[in-house]
Amino acid sequence: MQIIRELGPLRNALQNIRQEKSTLGLVPTMGALHAGHMKLVETATAQCDVVVASIFVNPTQFGEGEDLDAYPRQEAADAALLEAAGVELVWAPTVDQIYPDGFATNVSVSGVSAGLCGGSRPGHFDGVATVVAKLFNQVRPDAAFFGEKDYQQLAVIRRMARDLDFTHDIVGVPTVRDPDGLALSSRNAYLTAGQRSQAAALPDAMRDAAEAIKGGGDVTSILGEAEAKILASGFHEVDYFELRNADTLENMTVFDNPARLLAAAHIGSTRLIDNIAVT
Ligand code: PAF
């Protein structure tokens, strides 16, 4: 497995790969890989002849006071996992390969970026859309794989790909969860043992709320009760707990298909997000 950090060698390596293999899958990551990322790689290797993974902690998607410096970096361990999973090339660019001197372009996706994490993390999805557009242009995959765990991110990327004529497939991969239901996330590593056991209250509340909504209960009251339950279980702030249209992410106050519950809440110094289908 090659690890490449500069665009010239990346282009040469991709040209060689393209001569031998017909379909190329891209798994974009910020490293600190866990079983959720490896599920993306597994899905990509099942669907494509060759898989390229990128590791780039993208500074433009971190807001002021967010955890860019503290974000876990463990490239050697990540590379070992990717190699064992059959990845052929790791694209681990230096910052200047993504944002060269004088970089002045911003990809901003309106609509699906509004509210939810877009509300609590201003500018975050511009950073995501910009870096993902760059990665798509640099690697030119036939398919790119993203976790449903970051459901709004996936919607932003799908919209951006349609709008900017990226014609490759955007594949959403279901969330991987620990046995108690907590969605896997690099940020779970920040939780103390006590917070880790309390954190399962988030998926619990989401599951209960989804059942109550499907049962025909009043959506606004159910969402309010779910927030209260989370706050009583060790979380100290809920950024949002909302029912949205699963495709457009428009707000929903009366249940209709397709629907998705999305939530973000703070426990200790960690902000956790999650989402589930309500069908
Ligand atoms: O989901 C992530 O890890 C990042 O947001 C992504 C898509 C790799 C862009 O930096």
Side-chain angles (χ1 to χ4, degrees):
M1 187 185 75
Q2 309 175 69
I3 301 180
I4 296 181
R5 301 183 195 283
E6 299 203 332
L7 280 165
L10 176 72
R11 287 189 189 115
N12 293 338
L14 289 173
Q15 205 170 10
N16 291 337
I17 287 172
R18 285 281 186 201
Q19 277 162 10
E20 290 163 24
K21 311 266 171 73
S22 55
T23 56
L24 189 154
L26 171 66
V27 179
T29 81
M30 297 205 303
L33 302 182
H34 50 64
H37 295 108
M38 300 319 290
K39 186 76 194 168
L40 303 184
V41 172
E42 186 189 316
T43 311
T45 50
Q47 294 187 18
C48 299
D49 296 330
V50 61
V51 175
V52 172
S54 63
I55 299 178
F56 180 66
V57 182
N58 174 35
T60 65
Q61 69 188 76
F62 288 79
E64 244 172 70
E66 288 189 350
D67 52 359
L68 172 63
D69 291 336
Y71 200 82
R73 288 163 173 85
Q74 46 179 63
E75 191 188 286
D78 291 344
L81 285 172
L82 294 171
E83 182 159 31
V87 167
E88 193 150 322
L89 189 161
V90 173
W91 172 223
T94 52
V95 174
D96 65 320
Q97 301 296 291
I98 300 286
Y99 300 115
D101 248 10
F103 189 84
T105 300
N106 183 44
V107 180
S108 187
V109 182
S110 55
V112 287
S113 291
L116 305 173
C117 286
S120 25
R121 303 182 70 190
H124 170 69
F125 287 120
D126 286 10
V128 169
T130 303
V131 79
V132 170
K134 297 255 333 177
L135 293 170
F136 285 175
N137 276 325
Q138 291 172 344
V139 177
R140 297 185 183 271
D142 298 291
F145 297 81
F146 297 90
E148 285 184 349
K149 156 89 180 1
D150 296 301
Y151 196 80
Q152 190 178 16
Q153 166 173 285
L154 179 59
V156 167
I157 291 166
R158 285 192 196 285
R159 184 72 258 167
M160 185 267 293
R162 277 198 295 272
D163 292 351
L164 298 186
D165 302 315
F166 289 107
T167 53
H168 60 267
D169 292 337
I170 307 291
V171 182
V173 178
T175 303
V176 180
R177 296 178 182 277
D178 273 337
D180 67 355
L182 185 68
L184 297 194
S185 162
S186 307
R187 292 196 163 92
N188 293 355
Y190 302 146
L191 300 171
T192 64
Q195 290 163 354
R196 172 61 194 82
S197 60
Q198 290 172 321
L202 180 61
D204 281 354
M206 299 191 78
R207 256 194 328 269
D208 292 350
E211 286 309 313
I213 290 169
K214 283 190 279 184
D218 174 66
V219 170
T220 309
S221 332
I222 292 168
L223 298 180
E225 280 158 28
E227 275 201 42
K229 214 187 291 177
I230 291 167
L231 290 171
S233 312
F235 286 81
H236 60 85
E237 194 182 341
V238 176
D239 279 349
Y240 60 82
F241 197 107
E242 293 184 23
L243 185 69
R244 296 265 177 143
N245 178 290
D247 298 328
T248 63
L249 293 190
E250 278 161 331
N251 198 33
M252 210 181 246
T253 49
V254 176
F255 174 49
D256 193 13
N257 268 317
R260 199 101 189 170
L261 265 178
L262 300 104
H266 298 257
I267 183 164
S269 56
T270 308
R271 180 177 181 275
L272 298 178
I273 62 170
D274 202 352
N275 68 86
I276 58 169
V278 186
T279 48

